Amino acid sequence: MTIKRLPVLLALIFLLTGVPGAATFYTDWLWFKEVGYEQVFLRSLTARTLVTVIAGVVTFALLAGNLMLALRSLRPRPFLIDTPQGPRTIMMDPTRIRPFALAAAGFVALLTALYAGGQWETWLYFLNATPFGKADPILGRDIGFYVFTLPLFEMVQGILYFVVFLMAVMALAAYIFGEEVGLDATRGVFVSRRATRHLGLLAAAMLLVLAFGAWLQIPQLLTTTSGVVTGATYTDVNARMPALWVLVGAAVLSAALAVWQAMTVGRLWPIAAAAGLYFLVSLGGSAYAAIIQRFVVAPNEQVRETPFIIHNIQATRAAFGLDGVTERPLSGEAHLTRADLERNAATIANVPLWNDRPLLDTFSQIQEIRTYYDFVAVDNDRYTINGQYRQIMLSARELNSRSLPSRTWINEHLTFTHGYGLTLGPVNEVTREGLPVLFIKDLPPVSTADLKVTQPAVYYGELPNDHVFVKTKTEEFDYPRGDDNVFAAYQGDGGVPLSNIFRRLMFAIRFRSTDTFFSPNLTEESRVMMYRRIAERVGRIAPFLTYDPDPYLAISEGKLVWMQDVYTASQRYPYSTTIGGVSYIRNAIKVTIDAYHGKTTYHVVDPSDPIAQTVGKIFPGLLKPLDTMPEDLRTRLRYPQQIFAMQASMFATFHMLNPAVFYNREDQWEIPSFDVAGKPTPMHPYYTIMKLPGESGAEYIQMLPFTPRGKDNLAAWMVARSDGANYGKLAVFQFPKQTVIFGPRQVAARINQDQAISPQITLWNQQGSEVIQGTLLVIPIEESLIYIRPLYLRAAGGQIPELKRVIVAYQNNIVMEETLSAALERIFPGGARPQPQPPAVEGQPTPVPVEGPQPPSPDAGSLAEQARAHYQRALKAQREGNWALYGEEIRKLGEVLEKMRR
């Protein structure tokens, strides 16, 4: 009965596994055709299949042939077993063992094949390798050998070791079972002639595999950390490498002894000698290396390791693109004046007072409009707006289907298909209520600048939304208008067409949805959009690339386009120190994804990168030249924060070029850290527009400061440039070692200890409000710098952070004012009184003037008005019992009166 049901059971298993798998495969193929990367899909599929089949067939042939050879001479033999009825003798027929042995071989071959097939990229990189044009300093091999060839050799050696080891174990077990190998009291260890030959050849094969592994360890020494540097050290080059060459020779000689053992009749000493020779040389090599390290290197390590420290410095700088860093000294003695601020007005006018987290919370409260809209992240960029080069922050308004009030199939997949619009505003302007000024806002999007969005629908974004159907009989929700909703029909070409009944069936099986097959709302014109999340989309097209975790939104010709940074990276660059799991990295590729159509395009921004060139060889047509990207999108390119943070972290150590200084870490820097939730957290790079010292105009950059290791004073600051021909160029501005410049931690401590600022923050917190201290910004001006920190206030029980104060620190001066202009005026007096504002538009908050210095000086009338305002605020604070604010206003009143006296 059970045997009769077996075909039914097998058919059921196939239906449950094979049919859904086939549906997924077929629909993925349709999707790859729709996005224009069918050749990528077919090439990767062909490579995976070919490698899997070859590895499986070869492994099965070796294992099965080995087993059949070992089981060939087995004869039926009796076994005595205990039963409840007493001892019984049974006959074991070897012919019944063979099917199980072959099944076991097949299972192992399948696992090996799947593992090898999963490494299909390694095979393609090997077959299409592009030389780096640089050789390692020890073995003289091109860097491409380590990046493309060595990983394949290691994988092949690992598979061979596994297979040969299993062959030896299986053969030995078969011969023991057949009583051709054993141990008895009279003969001792006995091995039949046939078993001697078979096991001897297997031992020779294992020793050759071990010889191959020992040979691979030689180049591996250049990519691993040993001693004071990454890469081969003095001991590696002068002890371990010679010992490994000896080990290779010993393994080959041992293999020859094993073959001799297999081919001749005699004692077992050759095979024992072979194994003993290999292990003796292996242990001897390790002991020799330890002796060299202890008695030759350790007493004079710095001198012995100097050449290898130089290799480490040069390789790391080349691998992380640090060999092209422009280094410039700063005097550290410059004193800023009002004229300096005016010459750097573009820098001051673009100080990013709004930080990502508070701004995202604010957007979520004032611009989400409906509960099913989400702002996932705030992106930083720059645009020319109304003729001015402005730094802005923007965020897409995406639709979160999980937040729909009624999560029916029609709502989730047919009606609520897309987000709508974005919120965009300058980084430095606030309303009088402490909220961000917005250039683009509301639904439908309203723009108060010369930056227009003509197609605001967001079908593809950062949220992990499910598939949707467009061009159906059901109207798509577009955006809300008051108490009503506006509906629209998709007019783009994104998505896979459901052009026939078979496709609908396949998608229904894939989505496990009967509605997909039976719904009358779907037609032959309908399309299904899959992989709508940016990270999932690009990762599905090209999983062999490394993607930045933060795609950002851009506006191009009125359309919304996502920009995704791609890294080409490796762990195998010889002598390069590893950080974040990589020892080589380039931002060589950019991806653009149309938020409406879903069109995904890969562009090469660094055509000289060998890894990008290799990817281009493997997948012709995948990577497009950068000049095919629209011009306005090219102006949106920005250098990624992730790679810049890695480069800055490496440069903190590898700016030291003198090997003696490097060895002793005499001039090592570090990125300043702040205590966040009791844990030290390094500063993150931040974008800003500023005029670099020695440059003629302001540009979009990101920067990070450095402090000496174990100290808090400022040592240098590093920038990554993003505009035009300067894209990706790094520069470091270094202060003299004999000059002490306050660092971020010192300034933060001084802010927290200030007699006017600290009581005010404490008072706000005691009143139930939450004070959020923003990012402490280091703003270089000429050859000096100022520190700026915004303060946000979240009312008790409220959700909206409001920008209430700006703290400015310069040298020994620390002030806190309501605006950046007012704070700068206190430290650098001479600015103008605020210009008259345009009349407020009904329903819109009145914007505060753009932050920045103004050239004219205040007159007596304006000073008198300031004095009156301070006096009134002091009286109000006195009535409210706010003595910290009262003291602050009285101090400001005294400063204004002093100006009037002059």
Side-chain angles (χ1 to χ4, degrees):
M1 192 69 176
T2 304
I3 299 297
K4 293 181 179 180
R5 291 181 179 178
L6 183 59
V8 177
L9 181 61
L10 292 177
L12 181 61
I13 293 174
F14 174 75
L15 288 174
L16 294 176
T17 58
V19 173
T24 300
F25 173 82
Y26 175 71
T27 51
D28 270 344
W29 175 60
L30 293 177
W31 180 80
F32 270 94
K33 289 183 64 176
E34 182 264 323
V35 296
Y37 293 106
E38 181 183 11
Q39 292 304 315
V40 176
F41 176 75
L42 294 177
R43 184 67 189 274
S44 58
L45 176 65
T46 302
R48 183 190 295 270
T49 303
L50 192 61
V51 172
T52 301
V53 170
I54 292 176
V57 169
V58 171
T59 302
F60 180 75
L62 291 173
L63 292 176
N66 176 71
L67 274 173
M68 292 301 100
L69 182 63
L71 296 173
R72 185 175 57 184
S73 61
L74 287 184
R75 298 290 183 267
R77 54 174 297 190
F79 281 90
L80 186 66
I81 61 173
D82 290 327
T83 67
Q85 292 77 27
R88 290 186 57 187
T89 300
I90 63 172
M91 297 297 295
M92 178 63 69
D93 187 356
T95 58
R96 295 188 177 184
I97 298 176
R98 290 190 179 96
F100 293 100
L102 290 176
F107 179 72
V108 172
L110 176 63
L111 295 181
T112 305
L114 292 176
Y115 168 76
Q119 308 297 315
W120 60 271
E121 304 157 17
T122 304
W123 292 87
L124 290 181
Y125 277 126
F126 168 74
L127 296 173
N128 298 272
T130 301
F132 274 64
K134 294 181 180 179
D136 77 78
I138 303 300
L139 302 177
R141 291 193 176 100
D142 186 87
I143 305 300
F145 169 82
Y146 297 89
V147 175
F148 302 120
T149 304
L150 188 58
L152 178 70
F153 285 179
E154 292 174 351
M155 183 188 71
V156 171
Q157 194 270 342
I159 292 176
L160 288 175
Y161 183 89
F162 173 72
V163 171
V164 174
F165 177 78
L166 280 183
M167 290 171 64
V169 170
M170 291 178 177
L172 181 61
Y175 286 123
I176 292 175
F177 180 76
E179 296 184 336
E180 295 190 59
V181 175
L183 177 67
D184 62 27
T186 59
R187 292 183 296 173
V189 176
F190 65 88
V191 183
S192 71
R193 177 71 190 117
R194 196 170 65 88
T196 300
R197 182 182 299 110
H198 190 179
L199 294 176
L201 292 176
L202 288 176
M206 175 60 75
L207 286 166
L208 289 176
V209 171
L210 291 174
F212 184 35
W215 181 79
L216 290 177
Q217 290 180 46
I218 297 173
Q220 287 171 353
L221 291 174
L222 275 67
T223 62
T224 55
T225 299
S226 176
V228 297
V229 297
T230 297
T233 61
Y234 180 93
T235 301
D236 292 328
V237 173
N238 294 280
R240 290 193 177 92
M241 283 186 181
L244 285 171
W245 278 116
V246 173
L247 185 61
V248 171
V252 173
L253 179 59
S254 299
L257 287 173
V259 172
W260 181 44
Q261 167 79 50
M263 295 296 109
T264 61
V265 178
R267 299 182 179 276
L268 298 178
W269 70 263
I271 193 69
L277 177 63
Y278 178 83
F279 287 107
L280 181 63
V281 172
S282 178
L283 293 174
S286 299
Y288 176 62
I291 292 172
I292 294 296
Q293 177 66 32
R294 176 65 182 87
F295 296 103
V296 177
V297 176
N300 197 16
E301 187 176 54
Q302 179 179 328
V303 174
R304 297 291 187 187
E305 301 291 8
T306 291
F308 309 102
I309 291 174
I310 294 174
H311 297 331
N312 183 211
I313 294 173
Q314 293 175 343
T316 303
R317 288 173 66 92
F320 287 90
L322 302 178
D323 47 358
V325 174
T326 301
E327 299 185 53
R328 179 181 169 184
L330 298 175
S331 66
E333 299 176 354
H335 294 278
L336 291 181
T337 64
R338 192 73 193 189
D340 294 324
L341 297 186
E342 292 166 3
R343 283 193 300 270
N344 291 268
T347 300
I348 300 299
N350 286 282
V351 172
L353 298 179
W354 282 105
N355 295 164
D356 296 3
R357 187 71 252 176
L359 190 59
L360 183 62
D361 292 342
T362 302
F363 282 174
S364 299
Q365 294 301 314
I366 66 175
Q367 280 292 303
E368 280 187 355
I369 314 298
R370 295 282 178 90
T371 57
Y372 41 75
Y373 284 129
D374 275 351
F375 290 102
V376 180
V378 174
D379 298 318
N380 200 305
D381 209 339
R382 75 286 194 199
Y383 289 81
T384 299
I385 298 176
N386 298 333
Q388 292 185 335
Y389 194 51
R390 302 293 301 276
Q391 184 177 354
I392 57 90
M393 303 190 82
L394 70 164
S395 184
R397 186 183 292 105
E398 299 187 47
L399 188 140
N400 188 347
S401 59
R402 298 176 183 176
S403 299
L404 290 173
S406 177
R407 297 188 60 185
T408 64
W409 183 83
I410 292 179
N411 278 347
E412 289 194 52
H413 299 286
L414 274 65
T415 304
F416 293 89
T417 56
H418 59 276
Y420 202 82
L422 76 160
T423 300
L424 180 149
V427 296
N428 63 322
E429 293 188 32
V430 297
T431 67
R432 301 205 180 274
E433 294 80 13
L435 301 177
V437 172
L438 301 178
F439 291 157
I440 300 179
K441 59 181 179 180
D442 296 342
L443 290 171
V446 176
S447 176
T448 59
D450 59 353
L451 196 61
K452 307 299 180 183
V453 178
T454 57
Q455 182 47 268
V458 181
Y459 284 86
Y460 302 87
E462 295 185 80
L463 280 177
N465 281 325
D466 205 351
H467 65 279
V468 296
F469 297 93
V470 295
K471 296 187 176 182
T472 67
K473 294 180 181 180
T474 301
E475 289 186 312
E476 293 181 53
F477 169 78
D478 213 23
Y479 60 89
R481 178 185 292 167
D483 295 332
D484 298 323
N485 293 330
V486 176
F487 293 87
Y490 181 69
Q491 301 299 322
D493 53 8
V496 180
L498 298 177
S499 53
N500 55 60
I501 194 67
F502 180 73
R503 288 192 176 187
R504 286 186 64 172
L505 176 61
M506 289 295 100
F507 279 109
I509 295 174
R510 178 194 179 108
F511 300 139
R512 292 168 174 78
S513 166
T514 55
D515 292 313
T516 300
F517 187 73
F518 291 107
S519 174
N521 296 302
L522 300 180
T523 70
E524 292 184 354
E525 301 298 322
S526 299
R527 291 172 171 261
V528 55
M529 292 181 174
M530 304 189 302
Y531 301 120
R532 297 195 299 139
R533 186 182 176 216
I534 300 303
E536 184 183 21
R537 189 174 187 82
V538 295
R540 189 71 186 91
I541 294 174
F544 40 83
L545 296 174
T546 302
Y547 296 94
D548 189 272
D550 182 29
Y552 61 98
L553 189 67
I555 302 175
S556 173
E557 300 175 352
K559 299 180 296 183
L560 301 181
V561 178
W562 294 97
M563 306 284 285
Q564 173 70 65
D565 285 290
V566 183
Y567 304 119
T568 50
S570 174
Q571 305 175 6
R572 305 290 186 141
Y573 199 99
Y575 271 108
S576 176
T577 299
T578 299
I579 182 174
V582 300
S583 59
Y584 171 89
I585 189 168
R586 291 290 186 274
N587 176 217
I589 302 170
K590 302 277 187 178
V591 188
T592 58
I593 305 97
D594 190 298
Y596 185 73
H597 298 282
K599 182 179 180 181
T600 306
T601 309
Y602 289 72
H603 298 275
V604 181
V605 295
D606 185 2
S608 65
D609 176 56
I611 299 180
Q613 292 177 18
T614 301
V615 171
K617 291 179 185 178
I618 297 173
F619 302 103
L622 171 64
L623 307 180
K624 304 291 191 299
L626 183 60
D627 56 16
T628 62
M629 181 185 291
E631 175 62 29
D632 63 337
L633 270 184
R634 271 181 273 168
T635 63
R636 302 276 71 77
L637 298 181
R638 69 179 196 187
Y639 201 63
Q641 289 179 303
Q642 186 179 41
I643 186 174
F644 176 61
M646 296 172 68
Q647 290 173 311
S649 180
M650 298 303 285
F651 193 80
T653 298
F654 288 92
H655 71 278
M656 297 180 288
L657 302 181
N658 186 304
V661 175
F662 182 92
Y663 176 82
N664 293 299
R665 298 296 197 266
E666 296 176 21
D667 191 28
Q668 187 172 16
W669 300 338
E670 60 186 12
I671 297 172
S673 297
F674 295 97
D675 290 333
V676 178
K679 297 181 179 179
T681 303
M683 288 184 66
H684 297 292
Y686 54 88
Y687 293 100
T688 187
I689 291 178
M690 65 170 290
K691 177 178 171 292
L692 294 175
E695 298 294 333
S696 58
E699 58 184 290
Y700 187 64
I701 58 100
Q702 57 177 313
M703 71 166 296
L704 264 179
F706 293 116
T707 59
R709 185 182 61 169
K711 298 182 179 179
D712 290 333
N713 59 287
L714 200 65
W717 47 277
M718 188 177 193
V719 301
R721 308 168 76 175
S722 292
D723 285 350
N726 291 323
Y727 177 85
K729 293 183 178 179
L730 306 178
V732 170
F733 299 85
Q734 185 173 355
F735 293 104
K737 294 180 176 58
Q738 66 273 16
T739 303
V740 177
I741 307 294
F742 287 130
R745 285 177 62 90
Q746 292 171 321
V747 172
R750 292 179 61 212
I751 290 174
N752 292 332
Q753 296 168 5
D754 187 84
Q755 295 182 357
I757 298 174
S758 181
Q760 181 61 66
I761 294 176
T762 302
L763 183 61
W764 277 328
N765 285 323
Q766 289 176 347
Q767 292 174 344
S769 299
E770 178 189 2
V771 177
I772 304 172
Q773 298 196 33
T775 300
L776 183 61
L777 305 170
V778 184
I779 307 297
I781 305 290
E782 300 296 338
E783 294 207 357
S784 186
L785 51 85
I786 59 177
Y787 287 91
I788 298 175
R789 165 168 275 177
L791 285 186
Y792 311 95
L793 194 64
R794 196 197 309 266
Q799 299 293 326
I800 304 177
E802 300 174 359
L803 180 56
K804 287 300 185 183
R805 294 291 188 272
V806 179
I807 301 173
V808 176
Y810 171 67
Q811 294 183 348
N812 292 317
N813 300 308
I814 299 179
V815 299
M816 182 174 70
E817 289 290 345
E818 293 183 0
T819 66
L820 176 58
S821 296
L824 291 172
E825 173 64 24
R826 284 185 55 188
I827 298 178
F828 307 99
R833 59 183 171 183
Q835 299 296 317
Q837 294 300 301
V841 179
E842 183 177 356
Q844 295 186 9
T846 304
V848 173
V850 176
E851 298 287 5
Q854 305 292 337
S857 301
D859 54 24
S862 67
L863 290 175
E865 180 62 26
Q866 292 179 33
R868 187 190 68 81
H870 286 307
Y871 177 67
Q872 294 294 335
R873 285 198 289 267
L875 291 179
K876 182 180 178 182
Q878 184 184 37
R879 289 194 297 270
E880 295 175 351
N882 189 344
W883 299 109
L885 180 60
Y886 173 80
E888 176 70 8
E889 293 298 336
I890 291 297
R891 184 178 61 81
K892 293 178 182 179
L893 175 61
E895 292 177 354
V896 173
L897 293 176
E898 180 63 25
K899 292 178 184 178
M900 294 177 66
R901 187 181 66 82
R902 295 175 184 171

